[in-house]
Amino acid sequence: MFGVLATLVGVAAGHLVASLLNPASSPVLAVGSQVIDLTPTPMKEWAIEHFGSNDKRVLIGSVMGGVLVLAAVAGLLARRRFVLGAALQLVLVAVAAFTALHRPAAEARDVVPSLVAAAAGVGALWLLDRRAAAPDTRSATPLTWPVTMPTSGPQPAPSRRGVLVGAGALAVTAAVMGGAGRRIASYRARLTDIAFPRPAEPAPSFPAGIEGDFPGITPLRVKTSDFYRVDTRLDVPIVDIDSWSLNIDGLVDKEIELSFDDLLQMPMIERDVTLTCVSNSVGGPYVGGARWLGVRLADLLELAGVQPGVDQILSTDVDGMTIGTPYELATDGRDAMIAIAMNGDPLPREHGYPARMVVPGLYGFISACKWIERITLTTYAAQDSYWTKRDWATHAPIKISSRIDTPKVLETITAGDTFIGGIAWAQQHGGMAKVQVQIDGGPWRDAQLGPSAGNDYWRQWHLPWTAEPGSHNLSCRVIDGQGNTQTAARMDPFPEGSSGVQQLIVKVA
Ligand SMILES: Nc1nc2c(c(=O)[nH]1)N[C@H]1C(S)=C(S)[C@@H](COP(=O)(O)O)O[C@H]1N2
Ligand SMILES: [Mo]
């Protein structure tokens, strides 16, 4: 109990100090991030599949749980010998300090929150321990000066009241510090207003989706706040737009450094692009459509002058995370860009503020570097990126796929006239020709397609259906403009993206 409370005080103090310096150096977050990086790929896959977007909360919860169990042990040890308990606490903090200092972009001052956590934790433990050992002033004989502690005979009972008051005060302190830390971090995370230039190449006007007429189908443009998020971070980096810059280096004629204002001066393109995660299983949620505004990657590379022999564009984010993009694919004429706005607003922190890469047709893990700070022209032989080190593919074009949004898995619907509907996407250039639906293993029937927002964007579809009572098996598949049909051959997301055809069972009553 004491150990747990003292540790909470320490962790909260560390979190508060970290929110002022660098939120990622908070002891819990540092350890949590380290756990993410060390988790073997199959286990990560399993976590994403079972906890979905809750995977981070589950992780933080387990790290905290583990720490608190050790903290309780520290508390018990401290009751016997204070030094032992304090030592165990210090070991815990040392682990946090070590991980905070070993993050890719760590600075020396990242150790400060852990030091504060250590001081506060051990201090709290000492206070509680002393209270517990202090004689109860109410039941003791009136104090006389000088106080003579009995050297033999029955020891006075420790003051229960003193312990409770001390524990309560510490609990309140921990809660206040923890809460303040969160508040400060989110206050510092608010975005500055940016006046965006008019795009030199605006996107065509965006068609109205069919979601209004066919409720349950994913909106043609996903609300920014509903857009899926996948990254290795527990927090979001707080980037100061005035000191941020985008650097281009490696095998280039001259190194380039551009401030955010420099970027704003360049010609902007605006594009509707569908982003997909390689970890998405067939029918899964990690795919979204948005309108992006940014500078063409080709224009930026031209400023630097790319030398012969380059086959990888290695992007580095503000914390040293790396993503490798195949050079020949990113520069084959597709609208690869460094985006600074999403659906007309600055990129939200979660999606890469102040700038990120967007490359149509490539999975996010080999293209969509958020919080980007450096673009290095290099080779796969010379440099490995984060996921390549974890054995994921280097060349992974998005596989054509489709999803049934409505009816839902295991949903019970009423018999009669209804519809089946969803979303589908094909690779760039080819575009999309058809979506087909199969009911109870019958013939594949052509669905009606929603409006097109270009070849780099997904498309809605629906098929009228007269649902007979009973249980039904529904599937869908997409056929692209070059005649390729979405394969039924099942593949897991690792190492280059899932394939197969979604099958779901619905009940009609
Ligand atoms: N810096 C950084 N960029 C990143 C990632 C990351 O972990 N760190 N994750 C990538 C992955 S796997 C995907 S699918 C996309 C997701 O982008 P979103 O979160 O904006 O949807 O971002 C990519 N960019
Ligand atoms: Mo991803």
Side-chain angles (χ1 to χ4, degrees), residues 400 425-428 430-434 478-486:
I400 66 174
W425 54 99
Q427 277 178 350
Q428 275 54 47
M432 193 166 111
K434 272 185 194 176
V478 59
I479 298 171
D480 75 10
Q482 288 146 338
N484 301 306
T485 303
Q486 178 182 340

Side-chain angles (χ1 to χ4, degrees), residues 253-269:
D253 296 338
K254 69 170 190 290
E255 296 192 355
I256 301 281
E257 178 171 1
L258 298 164
S259 68
F260 195 79
D261 280 335
D262 294 337
L263 272 188
L264 290 181
Q265 302 302 319
M266 295 184 66
M268 296 273 157
I269 59 171

Side-chain angles (χ1 to χ4, degrees), residues 109-475:
R109 66 172 195 179
D110 287 346
V111 78
V112 173
S114 296
L115 292 180
V116 171
V122 173
L125 191 63
W126 180 76
L127 262 178
L128 285 170
D129 201 58
R130 214 181 52 150
R131 290 254 172 173
D136 189 329
T137 44
R138 285 168 308 155
S139 58
T141 40
L143 279 180
T144 49
W145 187 261
V147 187
T148 42
M149 292 294 280
T151 48
S152 63
Q155 293 282 323
S159 156
R160 297 204 102 225
R161 190 146 162 270
V163 173
L164 283 181
V165 169
L170 283 178
V172 170
T173 314
V176 168
M177 286 192 298
R182 291 189 72 136
R183 287 230 134 186
I184 292 173
S186 73
Y187 176 76
R188 292 183 61 207
R190 79 205 184 291
L191 302 181
T192 33
D193 285 336
I194 302 167
F196 291 115
R198 300 184 114 264
E201 284 181 42
S205 71
F206 194 76
I210 59 170
E211 62 271 17
D213 298 328
F214 299 93
I217 296 184
T218 303
L220 189 54
R221 180 185 290 166
V222 179
K223 255 174 58 190
T224 305
S225 53
D226 292 339
F227 203 92
Y228 86 91
R229 173 184 172 195
V230 172
D231 52 60
T232 59
R233 299 192 62 106
L234 292 166
D235 59 341
V236 288
I238 294 177
V239 182
D240 171 29
I241 203 162
D242 297 321
S243 50
W244 175 87
S245 66
L246 179 65
N247 300 272
I248 307 179
D249 61 13
L251 300 170
V252 290
D253 296 338
K254 69 170 190 290
E255 296 192 355
I256 301 281
E257 178 171 1
L258 298 164
S259 68
F260 195 79
D261 280 335
D262 294 337
L263 272 188
L264 290 181
Q265 302 302 319
M266 295 184 66
M268 296 273 157
I269 59 171
E270 187 184 48
R271 294 291 182 264
D272 296 309
V273 177
T274 292
L275 206 66
T276 318
C277 182
V278 69
S279 296
N280 198 35
S281 40
V282 176
Y286 304 129
V287 53
R291 173 163 288 193
W292 310 92
L293 175 78
V295 177
R296 231 186 248 286
L297 181 64
D299 290 352
L300 290 164
L301 297 183
E302 202 182 300
L303 285 181
V306 179
Q307 294 181 351
V310 167
D311 65 9
Q312 178 181 215
I313 303 175
L314 190 74
S315 305
T316 307
D317 82 1
V318 295
D319 281 323
M321 154 90 192
T322 51
I323 286 188
T325 308
Y327 175 75
E328 78 284 5
L329 292 182
T331 55
D332 67 358
R334 68 184 81 205
D335 289 319
M337 64 165 118
I338 298 299
I340 55 169
M342 179 179 185
N343 299 332
D345 291 314
L347 291 177
R349 298 261 180 216
E350 293 76 18
H351 298 292
Y353 178 88
R356 74 174 305 168
M357 196 181 285
V358 171
V359 183
L362 300 183
Y363 285 120
F365 83 116
I366 55 158
S367 66
C369 187
K370 306 193 269 190
W371 315 292
I372 192 169
E373 185 178 79
R374 184 170 301 281
I375 297 175
T376 306
L377 283 302
T378 179
T379 63
Y380 285 102
Q383 270 171 294
D384 273 343
S385 62
Y386 183 92
W387 275 295
T388 309
K389 285 184 198 137
R390 287 157 180 80
D391 298 330
W392 286 85
T394 50
H395 291 57
I398 294 175
K399 295 183 183 172
I400 66 174
S401 198
S402 54
R403 177 173 87 194
I404 298 174
D405 289 332
T406 178
K408 300 245 172 294
V409 194
L410 297 177
E411 189 180 3
T412 305
I413 57 173
T414 24
D417 285 340
T418 176
F419 66 92
I420 302 165
I423 206 105
W425 54 99
Q427 277 178 350
Q428 275 54 47
H429 309 308
M432 193 166 111
K434 272 185 194 176
V435 172
Q436 296 183 320
V437 177
Q438 190 184 46
I439 303 168
D440 298 326
W444 286 98
R445 290 158 60 189
D446 291 354
Q448 275 156 274
L449 297 183
S452 167
N455 281 352
D456 295 340
Y457 208 70
W458 63 10
R459 208 146 161 192
Q460 298 165 313
W461 57 266
H462 67 99
L463 181 79
W465 180 36
T466 308
E468 311 267 343
S471 171
H472 298 285
N473 200 328
L474 311 179
S475 298

Side-chain angles (χ1 to χ4, degrees), residues 62-108:
S62 341
V63 169
M64 267 316 270
V67 167
L68 291 183
V69 167
L70 289 173
V73 174
L76 291 177
L77 280 177
R79 302 288 310 260
R80 307 194 141 203
R81 272 195 63 199
F82 178 75
V83 234
L84 287 183
L88 179 53
Q89 267 204 332
L90 288 180
V91 169
L92 284 177
V93 177
V95 171
F98 181 81
T99 52
L101 281 180
H102 283 77
R103 302 295 306 151
E107 294 171 49

Side-chain angles (χ1 to χ4, degrees), residues 42-55:
M43 226 173 112
K44 252 189 222 162
E45 282 295 284
W46 182 87
I48 292 186
E49 201 162 302
H50 288 80
F51 304 125
S53 342
N54 275 328
D55 59 344

